[in-house]
Amino acid sequence: MAHLIAPSVLAADFANLQRDVEMINNSEADWFHIDIMDGVFVPNISFGMPVLAAINKYAKKTIDVHLMIVDPDRYIDTFAKLGSDILTVHYEACTHLHRTLQAIKAAGMKAGVALNPHTNINVLEDTIQDIDLVCLMSVNPGFGGQSFIENTYQKTEDLKALIQRKGASTLIEIDGGVTSKNARALVNKGADVLVAGSFVFKSDDPAATIIELKNS
Ligand code: DX5
Ligand code: ZN
């Protein structure tokens, strides 16, 4: 499978949100990546339900929601109603991860798990077959525009090996500091989905930058 590109709307111009959503619709991008932060799990607050509803009104591609919030079980049904296709929770925020994954699927969405940079992929040994997508954080979550953590290459390789060993069909998504400099190496290690915020939206030609990542 060719790798997918998921521009992170966190880096869009919120005063021109419809324009940026249409740019993604008309580009080679595959998914919308939506970062929801609660100011508790991460030291930042992004945006919440009304903004996601506004995005969903115009978005014509898969909506990939990344919840950086504590106790995400409270909002699973809400995010399903808001049009999320994939709902990713943080391993570090879930006491009963298996139960949470079942609840996400029961609500009709694909279930994702994000791992912070300090969390070893081995914690997913017993759940990987139940996970549709693992989001490897290649920065500490909370902010766009941070530098890529190099250890992510090894983690991607290790995660790919775990997925293959268990016969799972889980996708590997890389989130944070992705650019055309590291995209190819990540795909070679097993990445299926590349999230990119600043690299896309701060470039002179976001649509061309998406093509650049796609062709990496
Ligand atoms: C970080 C978010 C990322 C972020 C990526 O907490 O999860 O999705 O938007 O932004 P860049 O690509 O700028 O690192
Ligand atoms: Zn994210």
Side-chain angles (χ1 to χ4, degrees):
M1 183 187 93
H3 64 279
L4 307 179
I5 305 299
S8 172
V9 175
L10 185 66
D13 177 356
F14 292 158
N16 288 287
L17 195 49
Q18 185 183 351
R19 181 199 68 190
D20 285 358
V21 168
E22 299 289 8
M23 183 281 293
I24 295 175
N25 281 339
N26 296 325
S27 76
E28 298 283 310
D30 299 279
W31 294 357
F32 285 83
H33 184 82
I34 309 292
D35 290 307
I36 307 284
M37 305 177 184
D38 68 354
V40 179
F41 182 71
V42 289
N44 195 13
I45 298 173
S46 56
F47 51 80
M49 286 76 173
V51 175
L52 177 52
I55 293 168
N56 189 42
K57 201 166 142 195
Y58 298 103
K60 295 200 181 86
K61 296 180 177 179
T62 296
I63 299 203
D64 168 38
V65 175
H66 176 196
L67 294 184
M68 286 160 273
I69 67 174
V70 296
D71 199 4
D73 302 65
R74 294 170 294 165
Y75 297 113
I76 290 172
D77 288 333
T78 305
F79 281 101
K81 288 194 187 91
L82 284 165
S84 314
D85 297 296
I86 304 163
L87 192 65
T88 296
V89 295
H90 263 266
Y91 168 82
E92 301 83 5
C94 295
T95 310
H96 299 285
L97 182 64
H98 186 270
R99 178 182 287 151
T100 304
L101 295 171
Q102 301 306 315
I104 293 171
K105 290 181 188 175
M109 298 173 287
K110 300 260 189 216
V113 177
L115 298 184
N116 277 336
H118 74 271
T119 303
N120 194 280
I121 58 113
N122 291 337
V123 300
L124 301 180
E125 181 97 13
D126 293 317
T127 42
I128 195 73
Q129 276 143 325
D130 301 299
I131 302 174
D132 296 304
L133 173 141
V134 173
C135 174
L136 289 181
M137 292 308 302
S138 37
V139 298
N140 285 295
F143 302 92
Q146 303 180 81
S147 306
F148 180 84
I149 297 172
E150 298 282 323
N151 184 50
T152 311
Y153 294 122
Q154 186 61 50
K155 273 178 99 164
T156 307
E157 199 174 323
D158 293 346
L159 177 57
K160 188 72 182 175
L162 173 65
I163 291 166
Q164 284 175 340
R165 179 161 57 81
K166 295 280 186 174
S169 49
T170 317
L171 296 179
I172 301 178
E173 177 179 72
I174 310 295
D175 188 9
V178 170
T179 69
S180 55
K181 289 203 167 63
N182 51 30
R184 173 44 46 194
L186 288 165
V187 170
N188 286 344
K189 297 284 187 193
D192 301 292
V193 187
L194 301 177
V195 174
S198 315
F199 187 68
V200 167
F201 285 99
K202 308 295 178 223
S203 72
D204 292 338
D205 186 345
T209 303
I210 290 167
I211 293 174
E212 191 183 341
L213 287 171
K214 191 90 185 164
N215 293 338
S216 289

